[in-house]
Amino acid sequence: MPSSGTGMRAVITTLRVLETVAELQPVGVSAIARASGIPKSSVHRCLVTLREAEWLTTSRGDRTLWVLTGRALSVGIHAPAEVGLREAALPVMRDLRDETHETIHLSGYGFEHDLIVIDRVDSDEPVRTWVRLGTRVPLHASCSGRAILGRLPDAEVERLLKGPLERFSETTPADLPAVLEDLRRVREAGYATNDCAWRPGVGAVGAALVDQRGRPVGALAVSVPVQRYDAERGRLLGPLTAAAARRISASLPPG
């Protein structure tokens, strides 16, 4: 009979496999092993266990690839704050997608100051952008993150961004003074813009979602391939995104 320590390690390994599938799906055994650092034989055992528990299944299009089931997805969305945010945001996200024809991302902000993509409405254009659900979004480099920071006092921003800032491209703000300077523009405009500062080839516009106290709880972003994005497009999308964010914020349930 396995010891409690062995059993706990097996549970943790299985959960790591589940998290990796959630991040990369549809995904094969080799890719899961590379991303997680778990041996392929162990990955395969975990996948079989998760399939028997009805948390994972193989893709209809390719039986060598693994995806989450509806059971796993239903559990994932049942954190109370995220449920309220998703329910309030989804109709507005669809309207904004129909108006802009671009991909709309919803991010939640909260525990340990993480900003995480929790929902997406895809563009109807053949060339589109997207971010995988569950992706952690950098506060200083993304328009969603800087929209959030724009709702916070500078002293809190300084605490959140202490230490070196990761550079994703030549347009990523290089240091805290550069971020604070940009936040003055964000606060004046009511939205943040991003010209490839986080993801190469992607422009975006984001606005914060706030609770009844005015504290940020998330962000809404319009994400655009760089072929369709420039400063003028950003100025057109900004007010639309800010207005959509205000609609969502006004309909959020009391915290």
Side-chain angles (χ1 to χ4, degrees):
M1 184 174 180
S3 67
S4 60
T6 302
M8 181 59 71
R9 285 195 296 273
V11 170
I12 292 171
T13 299
T14 302
L15 290 174
R16 284 175 60 196
V17 169
L18 180 63
E19 290 174 346
T20 303
V21 174
E23 181 179 357
L24 301 177
Q25 65 175 328
V27 62
V29 173
S30 296
I32 296 170
R34 285 194 300 272
S36 65
I38 299 169
K40 287 176 65 174
S41 59
S42 298
V43 168
H44 187 266
R45 286 195 298 271
C46 293
L47 291 171
V48 170
T49 298
L50 290 164
R51 180 173 59 189
E52 291 175 353
E54 299 181 354
W55 287 73
L56 296 181
T57 188
T58 50
S59 170
R60 291 180 180 179
D62 185 342
R63 294 298 182 182
T64 68
L65 301 179
W66 292 81
V67 296
L68 297 182
T69 64
R71 170 176 289 188
L73 290 169
S74 68
V75 171
I77 67 170
H78 275 79
E82 286 192 6
V83 170
L85 192 57
R86 289 169 185 263
E87 289 179 346
L90 189 55
V92 181
M93 292 171 68
R94 288 171 176 156
D95 288 345
L96 188 58
R97 187 273 314 276
D98 292 345
E99 189 169 7
T100 64
H101 301 283
E102 303 294 354
T103 297
I104 313 300
H105 290 103
L106 174 68
S107 299
Y109 176 73
F111 183 69
E112 294 188 346
H113 306 292
D114 276 339
L115 183 62
I116 298 174
V117 178
I118 61 173
D119 211 343
R120 183 184 70 239
V121 176
D122 289 320
S123 167
D124 52 14
E125 294 283 350
V127 177
R128 67 192 76 173
T129 70
W130 69 285
V131 176
R132 187 179 294 115
L133 300 188
T135 297
R136 282 176 169 78
V137 181
L139 290 173
H140 71 287
S142 66
C143 63
S144 292
R146 285 186 282 107
I148 292 284
L149 294 175
R151 290 287 185 154
L152 302 176
D154 281 354
E156 187 170 352
V157 174
E158 291 172 8
R159 288 196 300 272
L160 291 174
L161 300 185
K162 62 182 178 181
L165 300 181
E166 182 176 357
R167 294 295 300 272
F168 296 90
S169 75
E170 293 182 355
T171 58
T172 305
D175 50 33
L176 181 59
V179 175
L180 293 174
E181 175 64 27
D182 181 71
L183 293 184
R184 283 188 273 275
R185 293 189 291 269
V186 171
R187 290 165 181 148
E188 181 177 350
Y191 60 87
T193 60
N194 190 334
D195 186 1
C196 307
W198 175 30
R199 296 186 295 147
V202 178
V205 175
L209 309 175
V210 298
D211 62 18
Q212 294 177 341
R213 301 169 299 165
R215 287 286 300 183
V217 295
L220 187 70
V222 181
S223 183
V224 186
V226 72
Q227 299 94 321
R228 296 197 296 271
Y229 185 86
D230 56 20
E232 182 179 357
R233 185 92 195 274
R235 287 190 292 271
L236 291 173
L237 292 174
L240 296 176
T241 308
R246 287 193 295 270
R247 286 175 57 196
I248 295 169
S249 297
S251 63
L252 289 176

